[in-house]
């Protein structure tokens, strides 16, 4: 039986915290930034956690089961 490959795109987009939760970056911070306020861009800068509803899907992509 061959090894199961990790999804390469997911490897680049997600990271694990020390407690095993999954970190992600905010969307809408890569282009068309002139019309967005400083406050909005600053708040999009921070990382956040993947929602519980989506964490199983991301774990499957990263082969963390």
């Amino acid at each position: 039986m061959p090894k199961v490959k990790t999804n390469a795109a997911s490897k680049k987009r997600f990271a694990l915290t020390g407690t095993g939760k999954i970190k992600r970056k905010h969307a809408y911070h890569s282009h068309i930034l002139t019309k967005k306020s400083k406050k909005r861009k600053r708040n999009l800068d921070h990382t956040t956690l993947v929602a519980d509803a989506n964490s199983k899907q991301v774990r499957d992509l990263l082969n963390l089961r």
Side-chain angles (χ1 to χ4, degrees):
M1 188 92 188
K3 292 183 180 179
V4 179
K5 286 190 175 181
T6 299
N7 185 285
S10 300
K11 262 194 306 199
K12 299 168 191 172
R13 286 170 171 79
F14 300 106
L16 283 177
T17 63
T19 57
K21 295 178 181 175
I22 305 168
K23 287 193 301 188
R24 68 170 178 87
K25 291 183 180 176
H26 284 281
Y28 307 110
H29 192 62
S30 58
H31 59 92
I32 313 176
L33 298 174
T34 52
K35 64 174 79 171
K36 296 172 186 155
S37 68
K38 282 186 175 185
K39 180 180 180 181
R40 183 173 166 191
K41 289 185 282 191
R42 187 171 59 244
N43 288 334
L44 290 172
D45 237 358
H46 308 298
T47 58
T48 186
L49 297 176
V50 170
D52 291 334
N54 301 324
S55 62
K56 183 186 181 306
Q57 291 170 312
V58 176
R59 283 186 177 280
D60 289 345
L61 289 170
L62 296 172
N63 296 325
L64 294 175
R65 290 264 150 177

